[in-house]
């Protein structure tokens, strides 16, 4: 895998539910086509030229050295570190990325820094056997459908949904905290599905974050988005209450349904 170096790694995130963040890979072989906001931004800034370039991840080779320098500097300010917003830390079929992410997690945890991890890949079994990771971290998957046709169309190179869920369930079974990001949740003119079925498949998790689909022409053109997301949020809240799951609705989604 191609490698790059960076001047810094840890930064304060602007995302509403995150604290600090790091991205130790440039690009993402999952190649999501909602479209992917990270890809759009990197293309706009000229960091990545084409979609094909984006699909070839480049590893930040000096990530551990940067952490050695930055952890002492930020340690007192950090409540948690999110991996990742502009790439995927457990990229499907990318062993080098997975190894690098596991090393980074271990280093952060050894410094008593909790991590919040989010992937459209599948978690390796070793994580479930490593005591370092227990208790300190929140392991999450992105999941907005159970339909593999949807996954092939919009998340073409990410892990099959069943694999994501079963890897998360294994971590839950080992006593780890788990969560699901249901974002970007599609409008029914893009994919017609039953939210309850998806929720039933993840009833074991500790937290669900829900957000609407942005930057997609079909979703923007859908006239009943407010009504649709209102009904989905009601369903989600009822389910979370019944199963004692923490529920977080993203601010832009809340703003849409409150309008
Ligand atoms: S997994 Fe995330 S970073 Fe990777 S292509 Fe999909 S949306 Fe973009």
């Amino acid at each position: 895998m191609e490698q790059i170096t960076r001047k810094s790694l840890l930064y304060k995130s602007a995302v509403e539910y995150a604290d600090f963040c790091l991205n130790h890979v440039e690009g993402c072989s999952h190649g999501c086509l909602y479209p992917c906001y990270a890809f759009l931004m990197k293309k706009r800034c000229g960091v990545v030229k084409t979609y094909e370039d984006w699909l070839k991840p480049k590893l930040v080779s000096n990530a551990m050295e940067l952490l050695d320098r930055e952890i002492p500097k930020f340690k007192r300010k950090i409540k948690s570190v999110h991996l990742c917003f502009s790439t995927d830390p457990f990229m499907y079929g990318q062993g080098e990325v997975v190894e690098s992410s596991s090393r980074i997690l271990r280093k952060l945890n050894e410094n008593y820094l909790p991590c919040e991890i989010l992937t459209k890949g599948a978690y390796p079994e070793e994580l479930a056997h490593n005591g370092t990771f227990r208790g300190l971290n929140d392991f999450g998957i992105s999941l907005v459908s159970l339909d593999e046709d949807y996954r092939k169309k919009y998340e073409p190179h990410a892990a099959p949904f069943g694999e994501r869920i079963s890897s998360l369930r294994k971590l839950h079974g080992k006593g780890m905290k788990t969560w699901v990001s249901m974002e970007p949740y599609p409008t029914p003119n893009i994919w017609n599905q039953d939210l309850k079925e998806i929720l039933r498949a993840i009833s074991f998790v500790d937290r669900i974050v829900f957000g609407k689909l942005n930057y997609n022409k079909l979703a923007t053109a859908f006239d009943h988005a407010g009504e649709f997301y209102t009904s989905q949020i009601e369903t989600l809240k009822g389910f979370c209450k019944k199963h004692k799951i923490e529920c977080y609705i993203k601010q832009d989604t809340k703003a849409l349904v409150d309008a």
Side-chain angles (χ1 to χ4, degrees), residues 95-151:
E96 285 179 69
V97 173
V98 170
E99 271 175 38
S100 171
S101 302
S102 300
R103 272 200 304 275
I104 286 172
L105 270 181
R106 196 169 296 115
K107 160 91 62 191
L108 291 165
N109 284 177
E110 282 165 1
N111 283 278
Y112 303 103
L113 294 172
C115 297
E116 180 181 78
I117 307 108
L118 183 59
T119 186
K120 289 185 182 73
Y123 287 108
E125 291 234 4
E126 301 83 78
L127 286 183
H129 303 302
N130 191 329
T132 314
F133 301 126
R134 197 158 300 139
L136 262 186
N137 304 320
D138 284 331
F139 289 94
I141 56 167
S142 294
L143 189 83
V144 294
S145 180
L146 294 177
D147 191 334
E148 275 298 294
D149 287 337
Y150 175 88
R151 202 266 306 159

Side-chain angles (χ1 to χ4, degrees), residues 3-256:
Q3 309 219 327
I4 54 167
T5 56
R6 288 238 173 96
K7 289 189 177 143
S8 62
L9 201 64
L10 283 165
Y11 65 96
K12 180 82 179 151
S13 170
V15 175
E16 62 199 68
Y17 62 81
D19 182 32
F20 273 71
C21 181
L22 65 79
N23 297 289
H24 54 297
V25 183
E26 188 75 64
C28 180
S29 60
H30 290 165
C32 301
L33 295 161
Y34 318 116
C36 166
Y37 179 73
F39 166 61
L40 293 180
M41 289 302 106
K42 295 280 179 176
K43 195 158 174 258
R44 185 183 289 176
C45 301
V47 177
V48 173
K49 288 199 171 55
T50 63
Y51 176 71
E52 287 67 32
D53 286 344
W54 176 252
L55 292 181
K56 293 179 202 140
K58 300 182 183 78
L59 209 52
V60 175
S61 62
N62 61 336
M64 297 303 274
E65 289 88 325
L66 289 171
L67 282 181
D68 283 336
R69 208 170 68 206
E70 293 176 356
I71 288 174
K73 192 167 142 197
F74 294 120
K75 199 170 173 180
R76 297 176 70 128
K77 291 185 186 158
I78 295 175
K79 293 191 199 90
S80 69
V81 179
H82 182 97
L83 286 79
C84 304
F85 281 124
S86 73
T87 186
D88 192 304
F90 286 94
M91 220 176 278
Y92 196 54
Q94 301 286 0
E96 285 179 69
V97 173
V98 170
E99 271 175 38
S100 171
S101 302
S102 300
R103 272 200 304 275
I104 286 172
L105 270 181
R106 196 169 296 115
K107 160 91 62 191
L108 291 165
N109 284 177
E110 282 165 1
N111 283 278
Y112 303 103
L113 294 172
C115 297
E116 180 181 78
I117 307 108
L118 183 59
T119 186
K120 289 185 182 73
Y123 287 108
E125 291 234 4
E126 301 83 78
L127 286 183
H129 303 302
N130 191 329
T132 314
F133 301 126
R134 197 158 300 139
L136 262 186
N137 304 320
D138 284 331
F139 289 94
I141 56 167
S142 294
L143 189 83
V144 294
S145 180
L146 294 177
D147 191 334
E148 275 298 294
D149 287 337
Y150 175 88
R151 202 266 306 159
K152 285 173 193 159
K153 185 166 181 187
Y154 288 103
E155 303 173 358
H157 310 297
F161 293 132
E163 233 179 284
R164 284 182 222 180
I165 296 168
S166 68
S167 77
L168 193 69
R169 193 187 283 278
K170 277 184 193 148
L171 295 183
H172 165 76
K174 294 285 177 184
M176 301 193 201
K177 287 181 281 176
T178 55
W179 68 292
V180 168
S181 168
M182 300 191 93
E183 188 196 15
Y185 195 81
T187 45
N189 59 332
I190 291 175
W191 215 260
N192 202 7
Q193 58 183 4
D194 184 357
L195 174 64
K196 289 192 220 84
E197 268 180 41
I198 308 170
L199 292 173
R200 278 196 286 273
I202 52 166
S203 62
F204 62 91
V205 301
D206 301 294
R207 182 166 51 109
I208 296 175
V209 174
F210 184 89
K212 68 187 176 77
L213 174 57
N214 294 313
Y215 318 109
N216 180 295
K217 283 181 192 153
L218 276 174
T220 311
F222 183 60
D223 283 338
H224 309 291
E227 286 163 43
F228 170 69
Y229 283 117
T230 300
S231 72
Q232 302 304 285
I233 288 169
E234 272 170 24
T235 301
L236 173 67
K237 283 186 171 170
F239 183 88
C240 287
K241 194 171 175 197
K242 186 172 168 199
H243 293 271
K244 298 188 172 54
I245 297 170
E246 189 189 329
C247 175
Y248 183 89
I249 311 297
K250 292 279 301 284
Q251 282 167 10
D252 61 353
T253 309
K254 247 192 212 160
L256 173 74

